[in-house]
Coordinates of all heavy atoms in Angstrom, one line a residue:
M24 N 2.7 -18.9 -0.7 CA 2.0 -17.7 -0.3 C 0.5 -17.9 -0.3 O -0.1 -18.5 -1.2 CB 2.3 -16.5 -1.3 CG 1.7 -15.2 -0.9 SD 2.1 -13.9 -2.0 CE 3.9 -13.7 -1.7
P25 N -0.2 -17.6 0.8 CA -1.6 -18.0 0.9 C -2.5 -17.2 0.0 O -3.6 -17.7 -0.4 CB -1.9 -17.6 2.4 CG -0.9 -16.6 2.8 CD 0.3 -16.9 2.0
F26 N -2.1 -16.0 -0.4 CA -2.9 -15.2 -1.3 C -2.1 -14.6 -2.4 O -0.9 -14.4 -2.3 CB -3.6 -14.0 -0.5 CG -4.4 -14.4 0.6 CD1 -4.1 -14.0 1.9 CD2 -5.6 -15.0 0.4 CE1 -4.9 -14.4 3.0 CE2 -6.4 -15.4 1.4 CZ -6.1 -15.1 2.7
D27 N -2.7 -14.4 -3.6 CA -2.1 -13.8 -4.7 C -2.3 -12.3 -4.7 O -3.4 -11.8 -4.9 CB -2.6 -14.4 -6.0 CG -2.0 -13.8 -7.2 OD1 -1.2 -12.9 -7.1 OD2 -2.3 -14.3 -8.3
C28 N -1.3 -11.5 -4.3 CA -1.4 -10.1 -4.1 C -1.8 -9.4 -5.4 O -2.5 -8.4 -5.4 CB -0.1 -9.5 -3.6 SG 0.3 -10.0 -1.9
T29 N -1.5 -10.0 -6.6 CA -1.8 -9.3 -7.8 C -3.3 -9.4 -8.1 O -3.8 -8.6 -8.9 CB -1.1 -10.0 -9.0 OG1 -1.5 -11.3 -9.2 CG2 0.5 -10.0 -8.8
R30 N -4.0 -10.3 -7.4 CA -5.5 -10.4 -7.6 C -6.2 -9.7 -6.5 O -7.5 -9.8 -6.4 CB -5.9 -11.9 -7.6 CG -5.2 -12.8 -8.6 CD -5.5 -12.3 -10.0 NE -6.9 -12.2 -10.3 CZ -7.7 -13.1 -10.7 NH1 -7.3 -14.4 -10.8 NH2 -9.0 -12.8 -11.0
C31 N -5.5 -9.0 -5.6 CA -6.1 -8.4 -4.4 C -5.9 -6.9 -4.3 O -6.8 -6.1 -4.5 CB -5.6 -9.2 -3.2 SG -6.0 -8.4 -1.6
G32 N -4.7 -6.5 -3.9 CA -4.3 -5.1 -3.8 C -5.0 -4.4 -2.7 O -4.9 -3.2 -2.6
A33 N -5.7 -5.1 -1.8 CA -6.5 -4.5 -0.8 C -5.7 -3.5 0.1 O -6.1 -2.4 0.4 CB -7.1 -5.5 0.1
C34 N -4.5 -3.9 0.5 CA -3.7 -3.0 1.4 C -3.2 -1.8 0.7 O -2.7 -0.9 1.3 CB -2.6 -3.9 2.1 SG -1.4 -4.6 0.9
C35 N -3.2 -1.8 -0.6 CA -2.7 -0.6 -1.4 C -3.9 0.2 -1.9 O -3.7 1.3 -2.5 CB -2.0 -1.1 -2.6 SG -0.7 -2.4 -2.3
R36 N -5.1 -0.2 -1.6 CA -6.2 0.6 -2.1 C -7.1 0.9 -0.9 O -6.6 1.4 0.2 CB -7.0 -0.1 -3.2 CG -7.3 -1.5 -3.1 CD -7.8 -2.1 -4.4 NE -8.1 -3.6 -4.3 CZ -9.3 -4.1 -4.1 NH1 -10.3 -3.3 -4.1 NH2 -9.5 -5.4 -4.0
E37 N -8.4 0.8 -1.0 CA -9.3 1.5 0.0 C -9.4 0.8 1.4 O -10.0 1.4 2.3 CB -10.7 1.6 -0.6 CG -11.4 0.3 -0.8 CD -11.3 -0.1 -2.2 OE1 -10.2 0.1 -2.9 OE2 -12.2 -0.8 -2.8
A38 N -8.6 -0.3 1.6 CA -8.6 -0.8 2.9 C -8.0 0.1 4.0 O -8.4 0.1 5.1 CB -7.9 -2.2 3.0
F39 N -7.1 0.9 3.5 CA -6.5 1.9 4.4 C -6.7 3.3 3.8 O -6.7 3.5 2.6 CB -5.0 1.6 4.5 CG -4.6 0.3 5.2 CD1 -4.0 -0.7 4.4 CD2 -4.9 0.1 6.5 CE1 -3.7 -1.9 5.0 CE2 -4.6 -1.1 7.1 CZ -4.0 -2.1 6.4
D40 N -6.8 4.3 4.7 CA -7.0 5.7 4.3 C -5.7 6.3 3.9 O -5.7 7.3 3.2 CB -7.7 6.5 5.4 CG -9.1 6.0 5.7 OD1 -9.8 5.5 4.8 OD2 -9.5 6.1 6.9
A41 N -4.6 5.8 4.4 CA -3.3 6.4 4.1 C -2.2 5.3 4.3 O -2.5 4.3 5.1 CB -3.0 7.5 5.1
V42 N -1.1 5.4 3.7 CA 0.0 4.6 3.9 C 1.1 5.5 4.5 O 1.8 6.3 3.8 CB 0.5 3.9 2.6 CG1 1.8 3.1 2.8 CG2 -0.5 3.1 2.0
E43 N 1.2 5.4 5.8 CA 2.2 6.3 6.6 C 3.5 5.6 6.5 O 3.7 4.4 6.6 CB 1.7 6.4 8.0 CG 0.4 7.2 8.1 CD 0.0 7.5 9.6 OE1 0.7 7.0 10.5 OE2 -1.0 8.1 9.8
I44 N 4.5 6.5 6.4 CA 5.9 6.0 6.3 C 6.8 6.8 7.3 O 6.4 8.0 7.6 CB 6.5 6.0 4.9 CG1 6.5 7.4 4.3 CG2 5.7 5.1 4.0 CD1 7.1 7.5 2.9
A45 N 7.9 6.3 7.6 CA 8.8 7.0 8.5 C 9.5 8.1 7.7 O 9.8 7.9 6.5 CB 9.9 6.1 9.0
P46 N 9.6 9.3 8.3 CA 10.2 10.4 7.6 C 11.6 10.1 7.0 O 12.0 10.7 6.0 CB 10.3 11.6 8.6 CG 9.3 11.2 9.6 CD 9.2 9.7 9.6
D47 N 12.3 9.2 7.6 CA 13.7 8.8 7.2 C 13.7 7.6 6.3 O 14.7 7.0 6.0 CB 14.6 8.7 8.3 CG 14.2 7.6 9.3 OD1 13.1 7.0 9.2 OD2 15.0 7.3 10.2
D48 N 12.5 7.1 5.9 CA 12.4 5.9 5.0 C 13.1 6.3 3.7 O 12.9 7.4 3.2 CB 11.0 5.5 4.8 CG 10.9 4.2 4.1 OD1 11.3 4.0 2.9 OD2 10.3 3.3 4.7
P49 N 14.0 5.5 3.2 CA 14.7 5.8 1.9 C 13.7 6.2 0.8 O 14.1 6.9 -0.1 CB 15.4 4.5 1.6 CG 15.6 3.8 2.9 CD 14.4 4.2 3.7
F50 N 12.5 5.7 0.9 CA 11.5 6.0 -0.2 C 11.3 7.5 -0.3 O 11.1 8.0 -1.4 CB 10.1 5.4 0.2 CG 9.0 5.6 -0.8 CD1 8.9 4.7 -1.8 CD2 8.1 6.6 -0.7 CE1 7.9 4.8 -2.8 CE2 7.1 6.8 -1.6 CZ 7.0 5.9 -2.6
V51 N 11.5 8.3 0.8 CA 11.3 9.7 0.8 C 12.3 10.4 -0.2 O 11.9 11.3 -0.9 CB 11.4 10.3 2.2 CG1 11.3 11.8 2.2 CG2 10.2 9.7 3.1
S52 N 13.5 10.0 -0.1 CA 14.5 10.6 -1.0 C 14.5 10.0 -2.4 O 14.8 10.7 -3.4 CB 15.9 10.6 -0.4 OG 16.2 9.3 0.0
L53 N 14.1 8.8 -2.5 CA 14.1 8.1 -3.8 C 12.9 8.6 -4.6 O 13.0 8.7 -5.9 CB 13.9 6.6 -3.6 CG 15.1 5.8 -3.1 CD1 14.8 4.4 -2.8 CD2 16.2 5.9 -4.2
H54 N 11.7 8.9 -4.0 CA 10.5 9.3 -4.7 C 9.8 10.5 -4.1 O 8.7 10.4 -3.6 CB 9.6 8.1 -4.8 CG 10.1 6.9 -5.5 ND1 10.2 6.8 -6.8 CD2 10.6 5.8 -5.0 CE1 10.8 5.6 -7.2 NE2 11.0 5.0 -6.1
P55 N 10.5 11.6 -4.0 CA 9.9 12.8 -3.3 C 8.6 13.2 -4.0 O 7.7 13.8 -3.3 CB 11.0 13.9 -3.5 CG 11.9 13.4 -4.6 CD 11.8 11.9 -4.6
D56 N 8.4 13.0 -5.2 CA 7.1 13.3 -5.9 C 6.0 12.5 -5.4 O 4.8 12.8 -5.7 CB 7.3 13.2 -7.4 CG 7.8 11.8 -7.8 OD1 8.7 11.3 -7.2 OD2 7.2 11.2 -8.8
L57 N 6.3 11.4 -4.8 CA 5.2 10.4 -4.3 C 5.0 10.5 -2.8 O 4.3 9.7 -2.2 CB 5.6 9.0 -4.7 CG 5.6 8.7 -6.2 CD1 6.2 7.3 -6.4 CD2 4.2 8.8 -6.7
V58 N 5.6 11.5 -2.2 CA 5.5 11.7 -0.7 C 4.6 12.9 -0.4 O 4.8 14.0 -1.0 CB 6.9 11.9 -0.1 CG1 6.8 12.1 1.4 CG2 7.8 10.6 -0.4
I59 N 3.8 12.7 0.6 CA 2.8 13.7 1.0 C 2.8 13.8 2.6 O 3.4 13.0 3.2 CB 1.4 13.5 0.6 CG1 0.9 12.1 1.2 CG2 1.3 13.5 -0.9 CD1 -0.6 11.9 1.1
T60 N 2.2 14.9 3.1 CA 1.8 14.9 4.5 C 0.4 14.5 4.5 O -0.5 15.0 3.8 CB 2.0 16.3 5.0 OG1 3.3 16.7 4.9 CG2 1.5 16.4 6.5
T61 N 0.1 13.4 5.3 CA -1.3 12.9 5.3 C -2.2 13.8 6.0 O -1.8 14.7 6.7 CB -1.3 11.5 6.0 OG1 -1.1 11.7 7.4 CG2 -0.2 10.6 5.5
P62 N -3.5 13.6 5.9 CA -4.5 14.4 6.7 C -4.3 14.3 8.2 O -4.8 15.1 8.9 CB -5.8 13.8 6.3 CG -5.6 13.1 4.9 CD -4.2 12.6 5.0
F63 N -3.5 13.3 8.6 CA -3.2 13.1 10.0 C -1.9 13.8 10.4 O -1.4 13.5 11.5 CB -3.3 11.6 10.4 CG -4.4 10.9 9.8 CD1 -4.3 10.0 8.7 CD2 -5.7 11.2 10.2 CE1 -5.4 9.4 8.1 CE2 -6.8 10.5 9.6 CZ -6.7 9.7 8.6
G64 N -1.3 14.5 9.4 CA 0.0 15.2 9.8 C 1.2 14.3 9.7 O 2.3 14.7 10.2
K65 N 1.1 13.1 9.2 CA 2.2 12.2 9.1 C 2.8 12.2 7.7 O 2.1 12.6 6.7 CB 1.8 10.8 9.5 CG 1.1 10.7 10.8 CD 2.1 10.8 11.9 CE 1.4 10.5 13.3 NZ 2.3 10.6 14.4
T66 N 4.0 11.7 7.5 CA 4.6 11.4 6.2 C 3.9 10.2 5.6 O 3.7 9.2 6.3 CB 6.1 11.2 6.3 OG1 6.7 12.3 7.0 CG2 6.7 11.0 4.9
G67 N 3.5 10.3 4.3 CA 2.8 9.2 3.7 C 3.1 9.2 2.2 O 3.7 10.0 1.6
V68 N 2.6 8.1 1.6 CA 2.6 7.9 0.2 C 1.4 8.6 -0.5 O 0.3 8.5 0.0 CB 2.7 6.4 -0.2 CG1 2.9 6.3 -1.7 CG2 3.8 5.7 0.5
R69 N 1.6 9.3 -1.6 CA 0.6 10.0 -2.2 C -0.6 9.1 -2.6 O -0.3 7.9 -3.0 CB 1.2 10.7 -3.5 CG 0.2 11.6 -4.2 CD 0.9 12.7 -5.0 NE 1.9 12.2 -6.0 CZ 1.5 11.7 -7.2 NH1 0.3 11.7 -7.6 NH2 2.5 11.3 -8.1
R70 N -1.8 9.6 -2.6 CA -3.0 8.9 -2.9 C -3.5 9.3 -4.3 O -3.3 10.4 -4.7 CB -4.1 9.1 -1.9 CG -3.7 8.8 -0.5 CD -3.5 7.4 -0.2 NE -4.7 6.6 -0.1 CZ -4.8 5.3 0.1 NH1 -3.6 4.6 0.3 NH2 -5.9 4.6 0.2
D71 N -4.1 8.4 -5.0 CA -4.9 8.8 -6.2 C -6.3 8.3 -6.0 O -6.6 7.1 -6.1 CB -4.2 8.1 -7.4 CG -4.8 8.4 -8.7 OD1 -5.7 9.3 -8.7 OD2 -4.4 7.8 -9.7
G72 N -7.1 9.2 -5.5 CA -8.5 8.8 -5.1 C -8.4 7.9 -3.8 O -7.7 8.3 -2.9
D73 N -9.0 6.7 -3.8 CA -8.9 5.9 -2.6 C -7.8 4.9 -2.7 O -7.9 3.9 -1.9 CB -10.3 5.3 -2.4 CG -10.7 4.4 -3.5 OD1 -9.9 4.2 -4.5 OD2 -11.8 3.8 -3.5
R74 N -6.9 5.1 -3.6 CA -5.8 4.1 -3.6 C -4.4 4.7 -3.7 O -4.3 5.9 -4.0 CB -6.0 3.1 -4.8 CG -6.5 3.7 -6.1 CD -6.9 2.7 -7.1 NE -5.8 2.2 -7.9 CZ -5.8 1.2 -8.7 NH1 -6.9 0.5 -8.8 NH2 -4.8 0.8 -9.4
C75 N -3.4 4.0 -3.3 CA -2.0 4.5 -3.4 C -1.7 4.9 -4.8 O -2.0 4.2 -5.8 CB -1.1 3.4 -2.9 SG 0.6 3.9 -3.0
A76 N -1.0 6.0 -5.0 CA -0.7 6.5 -6.3 C 0.3 5.5 -7.0 O 0.5 5.7 -8.2 CB -0.2 7.9 -6.3
C77 N 0.9 4.7 -6.3 CA 1.9 3.7 -6.9 C 1.2 2.5 -7.4 O 1.9 1.7 -8.1 CB 2.9 3.4 -5.8 SG 3.8 4.8 -5.1
L78 N 0.0 2.3 -7.1 CA -0.7 1.0 -7.5 C -1.2 1.2 -8.9 O -1.8 2.2 -9.3 CB -1.9 0.8 -6.6 CG -2.7 -0.5 -6.8 CD1 -1.8 -1.7 -6.4 CD2 -3.9 -0.6 -6.0
T79 N -0.9 0.2 -9.8 CA -1.3 0.2 -11.1 C -2.2 -1.0 -11.4 O -2.1 -2.0 -10.7 CB -0.1 0.2 -12.1 OG1 0.6 -1.0 -12.0 CG2 0.8 1.4 -11.9
G80 N -3.0 -0.9 -12.4 CA -3.9 -2.0 -12.8 C -5.1 -2.1 -11.9 O -5.3 -1.4 -10.9
D81 N -5.9 -3.1 -12.2 CA -7.1 -3.4 -11.5 C -7.4 -4.9 -11.8 O -8.1 -5.3 -12.7 CB -8.3 -2.5 -12.0 CG -9.6 -2.8 -11.2 OD1 -9.6 -3.6 -10.3 OD2 -10.5 -2.1 -11.5
D82 N -6.8 -5.8 -11.0 CA -6.9 -7.2 -11.1 C -6.5 -7.7 -12.5 O -7.3 -8.0 -13.3 CB -8.3 -7.6 -10.7 CG -8.4 -9.2 -10.5 OD1 -7.3 -9.8 -10.6 OD2 -9.5 -9.7 -10.3
P83 N -5.2 -7.8 -12.8 CA -4.2 -7.8 -11.8 C -3.7 -6.4 -11.4 O -3.7 -5.5 -12.2 CB -3.0 -8.6 -12.5 CG -3.3 -8.3 -13.9 CD -4.7 -8.2 -14.1
Y84 N -3.3 -6.3 -10.2 CA -2.7 -5.1 -9.6 C -1.2 -5.3 -9.6 O -0.6 -6.4 -9.4 CB -3.2 -4.9 -8.2 CG -4.7 -4.7 -8.0 CD1 -5.5 -5.8 -7.7 CD2 -5.3 -3.5 -8.1 CE1 -6.8 -5.7 -7.6 CE2 -6.6 -3.4 -8.0 CZ -7.4 -4.5 -7.7 OH -8.8 -4.3 -7.5
S85 N -0.5 -4.1 -9.6 CA 1.0 -4.2 -9.3 C 1.4 -2.8 -8.7 O 0.7 -1.8 -8.8 CB 1.8 -4.5 -10.5 OG 1.7 -3.5 -11.5
C86 N 2.6 -2.9 -8.1 CA 3.2 -1.7 -7.5 C 4.3 -1.2 -8.4 O 5.2 -1.9 -8.6 CB 3.7 -2.0 -6.1 SG 4.7 -0.7 -5.4
R87 N 4.2 0.0 -8.9 CA 5.2 0.5 -9.8 C 6.5 0.9 -9.2 O 7.5 1.2 -9.9 CB 4.6 1.7 -10.7 CG 4.3 3.0 -9.9 CD 3.7 3.9 -10.9 NE 3.1 5.1 -10.3 CZ 3.7 6.3 -10.2 NH1 4.9 6.5 -10.7 NH2 3.1 7.3 -9.6
V88 N 6.6 0.9 -7.9 CA 7.8 1.1 -7.1 C 8.2 0.0 -6.2 O 8.8 0.2 -5.2 CB 7.7 2.5 -6.3 CG1 7.6 3.7 -7.2 CG2 6.6 2.4 -5.3
Y89 N 7.8 -1.2 -6.6 CA 7.9 -2.4 -5.8 C 9.3 -2.5 -5.1 O 9.4 -2.8 -3.9 CB 7.5 -3.6 -6.5 CG 7.3 -4.8 -5.6 CD1 6.2 -5.0 -4.8 CD2 8.3 -5.8 -5.5 CE1 6.0 -6.1 -3.9 CE2 8.2 -6.9 -4.7 CZ 7.0 -7.0 -3.9 OH 6.9 -8.1 -3.0
A90 N 10.3 -2.4 -6.0 CA 11.7 -2.6 -5.5 C 12.0 -1.6 -4.4 O 12.9 -1.8 -3.6 CB 12.6 -2.6 -6.6
D91 N 11.4 -0.4 -4.5 CA 11.7 0.7 -3.6 C 10.6 0.9 -2.5 O 10.7 1.9 -1.8 CB 11.8 2.0 -4.3 CG 12.9 2.0 -5.4 OD1 13.9 1.2 -5.2 OD2 12.9 2.8 -6.3
R92 N 9.6 0.1 -2.4 CA 8.5 0.3 -1.6 C 8.9 0.6 -0.1 O 9.9 0.0 0.3 CB 7.5 -0.8 -1.7 CG 7.9 -2.1 -1.1 CD 7.0 -3.3 -1.6 NE 7.3 -4.5 -0.9 CZ 8.3 -5.3 -1.1 NH1 9.3 -4.9 -2.0 NH2 8.5 -6.4 -0.5
P93 N 8.1 1.4 0.5 CA 8.5 1.8 1.9 C 8.4 0.6 2.9 O 7.8 -0.5 2.6 CB 7.4 2.8 2.3 CG 6.8 3.2 1.0 CD 6.9 2.1 0.1
Q94 N 9.1 0.7 4.0 CA 9.1 -0.4 5.0 C 7.7 -0.7 5.4 O 7.4 -1.9 5.7 CB 9.9 0.1 6.2 CG 10.2 -1.1 7.2 CD 10.9 -2.3 6.6 OE1 11.9 -2.1 5.9 NE2 10.4 -3.5 6.8
T95 N 6.8 0.3 5.5 CA 5.4 0.0 5.9 C 4.8 -1.0 5.0 O 4.1 -1.9 5.5 CB 4.6 1.3 5.8 OG1 5.2 2.4 6.5 CG2 3.1 1.1 6.2
C96 N 5.1 -0.9 3.7 CA 4.5 -1.9 2.8 C 5.2 -3.3 2.9 O 4.5 -4.3 2.9 CB 4.7 -1.4 1.4 SG 4.0 0.3 1.1
R97 N 6.5 -3.2 3.2 CA 7.2 -4.5 3.4 C 6.7 -5.3 4.6 O 6.8 -6.5 4.7 CB 8.7 -4.3 3.5 CG 9.3 -3.6 2.2 CD 10.8 -3.2 2.4 NE 11.2 -2.4 1.4 CZ 11.8 -2.8 0.3 NH1 12.0 -4.1 0.1 NH2 12.2 -2.0 -0.7
D98 N 6.2 -4.5 5.6 CA 5.8 -5.1 6.8 C 4.4 -5.8 6.7 O 4.1 -6.6 7.6 CB 5.7 -4.1 7.9 CG 7.1 -3.6 8.4 OD1 8.1 -4.3 8.1 OD2 7.1 -2.5 9.0
V99 N 3.7 -5.5 5.7 CA 2.4 -6.2 5.5 C 2.7 -7.6 4.8 O 3.0 -7.6 3.6 CB 1.4 -5.4 4.6 CG1 0.1 -6.1 4.4 CG2 1.2 -4.0 5.2
E100 N 2.5 -8.6 5.6 CA 2.8 -10.0 5.1 C 1.5 -10.6 4.6 O 0.5 -10.6 5.3 CB 3.4 -10.8 6.3 CG 3.9 -12.1 5.9 CD 4.4 -12.9 7.2 OE1 4.5 -12.2 8.2 OE2 4.6 -14.1 7.0
A101 N 1.6 -11.1 3.4 CA 0.4 -11.8 2.8 C 0.0 -12.9 3.8 O 0.8 -13.8 4.1 CB 0.7 -12.4 1.5
G102 N -1.3 -12.9 4.2 CA -1.7 -13.9 5.2 C -1.6 -13.5 6.6 O -2.1 -14.1 7.5
G103 N -0.9 -12.4 6.8 CA -0.7 -11.9 8.2 C -1.9 -11.1 8.7 O -2.9 -10.9 7.9
E104 N -1.8 -10.6 9.9 CA -2.9 -9.9 10.5 C -3.4 -8.7 9.7 O -4.6 -8.5 9.5 CB -2.5 -9.5 11.9 CG -3.7 -9.0 12.8 CD -3.2 -8.6 14.2 OE1 -2.1 -9.0 14.6 OE2 -4.0 -8.0 14.9
A105 N -2.5 -7.8 9.3 CA -2.9 -6.6 8.6 C -3.5 -6.9 7.2 O -4.4 -6.3 6.7 CB -1.7 -5.7 8.4
C106 N -2.9 -8.0 6.6 CA -3.4 -8.4 5.3 C -4.9 -8.9 5.4 O -5.8 -8.5 4.7 CB -2.5 -9.6 4.8 SG -3.2 -10.6 3.5
L107 N -5.1 -9.8 6.4 CA -6.5 -10.3 6.6 C -7.5 -9.2 6.9 O -8.6 -9.2 6.4 CB -6.5 -11.4 7.7 CG -5.6 -12.6 7.4 CD1 -5.6 -13.5 8.7 CD2 -6.1 -13.3 6.2
W108 N -7.0 -8.2 7.7 CA -7.9 -7.1 8.0 C -8.2 -6.3 6.8 O -9.4 -5.9 6.5 CB -7.2 -6.3 9.1 CG -8.1 -5.2 9.7 CD1 -9.0 -5.3 10.7 CD2 -8.1 -3.8 9.3 NE1 -9.6 -4.1 10.9 CE2 -9.1 -3.2 10.1 CE3 -7.4 -3.1 8.3 CZ2 -9.4 -1.8 10.0 CZ3 -7.7 -1.7 8.2 CH2 -8.7 -1.1 9.0
A109 N -7.2 -6.0 6.0 CA -7.4 -5.3 4.7 C -8.3 -6.0 3.8 O -9.2 -5.4 3.2 CB -6.0 -5.0 4.1
R110 N -8.1 -7.3 3.6 CA -9.0 -8.0 2.7 C -10.4 -8.0 3.2 O -11.3 -7.8 2.4 CB -8.5 -9.5 2.6 CG -7.2 -9.6 1.8 CD -6.7 -11.0 1.8 NE -7.6 -12.0 1.2 CZ -7.7 -12.3 -0.1 NH1 -6.8 -11.7 -0.9 NH2 -8.6 -13.1 -0.5
K111 N -10.6 -8.1 4.5 CA -12.0 -8.1 5.0 C -12.6 -6.7 4.7 O -13.8 -6.6 4.4 CB -11.9 -8.3 6.5 CG -13.3 -8.6 7.1 CD -13.1 -9.1 8.6 CE -14.5 -9.3 9.2 NZ -14.4 -9.7 10.6
R112 N -11.8 -5.6 4.9 CA -12.3 -4.3 4.6 C -12.8 -4.1 3.2 O -13.7 -3.2 3.0 CB -11.2 -3.2 4.9 CG -10.9 -3.0 6.4 CD -11.8 -2.1 7.1 NE -12.1 -0.9 6.5 CZ -11.6 0.3 6.9 NH1 -10.8 0.3 7.9 NH2 -11.9 1.4 6.3
V113 N -12.3 -4.8 2.2 CA -12.7 -4.6 0.9 C -13.6 -5.8 0.4 O -13.9 -5.9 -0.8 CB -11.5 -4.5 -0.1 CG1 -10.6 -3.4 0.3 CG2 -10.7 -5.8 -0.2
G114 N -14.0 -6.6 1.4 CA -15.0 -7.6 1.1 C -14.4 -8.9 0.5 O -15.1 -9.7 -0.1
L115 N -13.1 -9.1 0.7 CA -12.5 -10.4 0.3 C -12.3 -11.3 1.5 O -12.0 -10.8 2.6 CB -11.1 -10.1 -0.3 CG -11.2 -9.4 -1.7 CD1 -9.7 -9.0 -2.1 CD2 -11.8 -10.2 -2.7
E116 N -12.4 -12.6 1.3 CA -12.2 -13.5 2.5 C -10.7 -13.9 2.5 O -10.0 -13.9 1.5 CB -13.1 -14.7 2.3 CG -14.5 -14.4 2.6 CD -14.8 -13.8 3.9 OE1 -14.2 -14.3 4.9 OE2 -15.6 -12.9 4.0
Ligands
SF4_29 S1 -4.1 -7.4 1.5 FE1 -2.7 -9.2 1.6 S2 -3.1 -10.4 -0.3 FE2 -4.0 -8.3 -0.6 S3 -2.3 -7.3 -1.6 FE3 -2.1 -6.8 0.6 S4 -0.7 -8.4 1.3 FE4 -1.4 -9.1 -0.7
SF4_30 S1 3.9 1.8 -2.4 FE1 3.3 0.0 -3.6 S2 3.2 -1.6 -2.0 FE2 3.1 0.3 -0.9 S3 0.9 0.8 -0.8 FE3 1.7 1.8 -2.6 S4 1.2 0.3 -4.3 FE4 1.1 -0.8 -2.3

C-alpha cells in the first residue's frame, strides 16, 4: 500500500464536505443512527464537525465501522485519484 491510512484519514475528514452513499447501501439499515440527509439533499454518513462521525482518533486514525463501511468508502483506493486529491486538500503529499 503506497500510504498508511491510519496516519492520514484525509478522505474521512475535511478533504470532503460529505460522504454520500447510495440510499440502498447496506450501511443505511446497519447503522441508521449514522445516516443523514446531506446539505445537498443526498443520503450520507453523519458528520462530527468537519469529519465523518465514524472516524476515531487523530493520527493514528481509524474507522469504527470499517467492516460495514459504505461502498463510497470502499471505492477510495489508497494511492488512487480520489485519495491523492484528498491528501492534497489537507496538505499532505
Ligand atoms: S486519503 Fe488515501 S491514504 Fe488517506 S485515509 Fe484516504 S485512502 Fe488512506
Ligand atoms: S465510514 Fe469510515 S471509511 Fe467511511 S468516511 Fe467514515 S470513517 Fe472514513
Side-chain angles (χ1 to χ4, degrees):
M24 186 179 289
F26 299 115
D27 180 354
C28 293
T29 68
R30 305 297 311 275
C31 171
C34 58
C35 309
R36 48 191 181 98
E37 65 267 30
F39 296 112
D40 294 330
V42 176
E43 293 181 0
I44 60 178
D47 62 351
D48 191 296
F50 184 85
V51 173
S52 53
L53 287 169
H54 299 283
D56 55 315
L57 293 170
V58 176
I59 59 166
T60 299
T61 72
F63 315 107
K65 305 287 189 181
T66 303
V68 183
R69 185 157 58 81
R70 307 289 286 179
D71 182 5
D73 61 2
R74 39 193 274 171
C75 176
C77 305
L78 186 66
T79 62
D81 184 359
D82 194 4
Y84 300 94
S85 69
C86 171
R87 65 185 168 100
V88 294
Y89 190 76
D91 299 337
R92 69 196 187 286
Q94 188 61 46
T95 305
C96 307
R97 296 173 193 269
D98 288 344
V99 179
E100 188 183 345
E104 190 176 346
C106 164
L107 295 178
W108 188 84
R110 288 177 59 91
K111 194 172 179 185
R112 287 280 308 256
V113 304
L115 293 171
E116 290 303 318

